[in-house]
Amino acid sequence: NAGVTQTPKFQVLKTGQSMTLQCAQDMNHEYMSWYRQDPGMGLRLIHYSVGAGITDQGEVPNGYNVSRSTTEDFPLRLLSAAPSQTSVYFCASSYGRTAAGEKLFFGSGTQLSVL
Amino acid sequence: GENVEQHPSTLSVQEGDSAVIKCTYSDSASNYFPWYKQELGKRPQLIIDIRSNVGEKKDQRIAVTLNKTAKHFSLHITETQPEDSAVYFCGGSNRDDKIIFGKGTRLHILP
């Protein structure tokens, strides 16, 4: 049982490049989400999904796209990277609805630098 | 939408003393309030949580209190130990299933 797996662990991009951060979980969790962590800003919600085929925006969705074609995978796409997207990105999942008190399991994070 | 404010941003306490971190939330419909601990270079992990129908919850040296009327909740750590040094995040979740976190508190336990 690997839990929540994020790839890559580190990535350097040039401004304007595109890339996809991968997130996969093997716990049959319905809920998945992406957060970014910046110094002094805490964890900010980018996008989340309550099940396959369903996605919604979080606090800071601009510049990011997501899709949820399977229960296991929730990739985060940066279409045209900007220096403001330099951050540590965490994927998280939970068995059920977070409003019902389900615990979030976080991945190990992806450190992204945009030059 | 929900907004969660957390104070202080940095807290230093002597080993063995107590630490208190406070959070306020804006959405009166929020009903679930977790606390996550993040050690240096690690992922956040849940340490305790509380539902809106409960005023207080305790787990060994850690306790959380909730005041729904005032819309604030607090984390209390007693008999602090070196391994308590970390960043702590409070969160609030409403019926939209978004967990919104505060900006975090960096806790230093001084020897």
Side-chain angles (χ1 to χ4, degrees):
Chain A
N1 210 342
V4 181
T5 302
Q6 287 184 239
T7 56
K9 292 190 182 302
F10 303 94
Q11 184 69 51
V12 179
L13 292 178
K14 294 182 179 178
T15 297
Q17 286 185 316
S18 63
M19 81 157 296
T20 299
L21 306 185
Q22 301 291 345
C23 176
Q25 51 86 14
D26 60 358
M27 298 176 283
N28 201 30
H29 283 179
E30 288 295 322
Y31 181 94
M32 297 186 75
S33 56
W34 278 101
Y35 288 88
R36 61 176 289 175
Q37 183 174 26
D38 303 292
M41 297 300 293
L43 294 160
R44 291 185 291 171
L45 181 64
I46 305 172
H47 286 286
Y48 68 105
S49 169
V50 298
I54 306 169
T55 64
D56 207 343
Q57 295 182 349
E59 303 170 89
V60 289
N62 293 341
Y64 308 95
N65 281 353
V66 293
S67 60
R68 184 95 181 269
S69 56
T70 67
T71 299
E72 295 77 20
D73 301 298
F74 192 44
L76 179 72
R77 297 183 186 85
L78 284 71
L79 298 179
S80 179
S84 60
Q85 294 179 304
T86 293
S87 187
V88 178
Y89 291 84
F90 285 100
C91 179
S93 71
S94 67
Y95 181 72
R97 298 183 58 202
T98 56
E102 291 288 342
K103 168 184 172 181
L104 278 178
F105 292 81
F106 283 85
S108 57
T110 294
Q111 191 165 323
L112 176 67
S113 295
V114 183
L115 306 178
Chain B
E2 175 68 286
N3 183 49
V4 177
E5 301 279 345
Q6 182 171 350
H7 299 280
S9 57
T10 305
L11 178 62
S12 295
V13 301
Q14 291 293 138
E15 183 177 347
D17 287 351
S18 296
V20 180
I21 303 170
K22 299 181 179 182
C23 290
T24 60
Y25 61 98
S26 60
D27 188 349
S28 56
S30 289
N31 56 6
Y32 173 64
F33 306 93
W35 286 88
Y36 282 78
K37 174 184 179 182
Q38 185 180 30
E39 297 177 356
L40 189 62
K42 301 287 183 65
R43 70 194 76 187
Q45 292 193 306
L46 180 73
I47 55 171
I48 196 167
D49 55 14
I50 192 167
R51 300 295 304 276
S52 58
N53 58 350
V54 175
E56 183 174 357
K57 184 176 178 181
K58 190 172 182 180
D59 183 3
Q60 298 183 335
R61 297 186 296 109
I62 296 173
V64 57
T65 58
L66 171 65
N67 183 327
K68 282 183 59 179
T69 303
K71 289 191 284 188
H72 69 69
F73 56 112
S74 300
L75 178 72
H76 304 253
I77 305 175
T78 59
E79 301 173 8
T80 52
Q81 300 171 3
E83 54 264 36
D84 295 329
S85 291
V87 178
Y88 292 81
F89 295 98
C90 62
S93 178
N94 60 18
R95 53 178 168 264
D96 292 334
D97 286 311
K98 299 178 182 180
I99 294 188
I100 303 300
F101 288 99
K103 293 183 178 180
T105 296
R106 185 172 296 279
L107 176 62
H108 298 279
I109 305 301
L110 306 173

